[in-house]
Amino acid sequence: MKLKSLVLALGAALIAGAAGAATLDAVAVTTTSTPAGNSFSDIVLGSFTLTQASDVTGSVLAATTVGFGNGQTLPLQSVSFSFAGLNGLTDLDASASGFHYANLAAGTYQLLASGVLSGPGFGGIAVLSTTLNVTAAAAAVPEPATYALMLAGIAAVGFVARRRRRD
């Protein structure tokens, strides 16, 4: 009787483990860039590390002023983005300042941005702020044949154990 309970518990654990999914905490990256000239290319906004296959979305915003806490502000250049995201990977977001990547493999990635500075401002300075949301990719769901094979294996183990007990 103990063997039946053990086999049932093992089968339930395997089935529950196959359907599990997790959500990772959101990550915020903030950086200040001072590109030379009116345009900038592939400025590193920051990096992030994925521990499992994940979907990544986010956007890059540019501040128009910087406040100093005493009521004084400094105007900054306005920014037009031509690219924000990960080089060499297909961005599913059509906007120049947003990005969306599905099912990225585990590893370390660098966020990059390119664009043009314009308008009145202080010394060609832009303050770029990036939001990054990471969600674990959905776990693969096994085929029905996989479950059938697993159950056949558990039944075979039970059959062998029962036969040994009789001998």
Side-chain angles (χ1 to χ4, degrees):
M1 199 58 146
K2 288 182 183 180
L3 182 63
K4 279 186 183 179
S5 300
L6 180 64
V7 170
L8 287 174
L10 177 63
L14 288 174
I15 291 169
T23 302
L24 302 176
D25 293 334
V27 177
V29 179
T30 306
T31 183
T32 303
S33 300
T34 56
N38 288 336
S39 65
F40 58 96
S41 181
D42 294 336
I43 296 292
V44 177
L45 300 174
S47 63
F48 61 95
T49 302
L50 301 176
T51 58
Q52 65 185 46
S54 303
D55 296 339
V56 176
T57 59
S59 60
V60 182
L61 302 172
T64 55
T65 59
V66 172
F68 294 100
N70 58 2
Q72 293 188 344
T73 60
L74 185 66
L76 298 175
Q77 298 280 313
S78 64
V79 179
S80 299
F81 292 99
S82 58
F83 171 78
L86 308 172
N87 264 350
L89 298 175
T90 303
D91 187 357
L92 302 175
D93 186 338
S95 67
S97 63
F99 50 88
H100 174 93
Y101 298 95
N103 204 24
L104 286 179
T108 300
Y109 297 90
Q110 281 190 331
L111 283 170
L112 304 173
S114 299
V116 177
L117 301 178
S118 61
F122 178 73
I125 295 175
V127 176
L128 308 180
S129 166
T130 305
T131 59
L132 178 67
N133 301 309
V134 179
T135 349
V141 177
E143 295 285 330
T146 304
Y147 285 122
L149 185 61
M150 180 185 68
L151 290 174
I154 291 171
V157 169
F159 174 76
V160 169
R162 186 172 186 194
R163 188 171 174 192
R164 281 189 182 173
R165 193 178 328 153
R166 284 186 185 172
D167 291 341

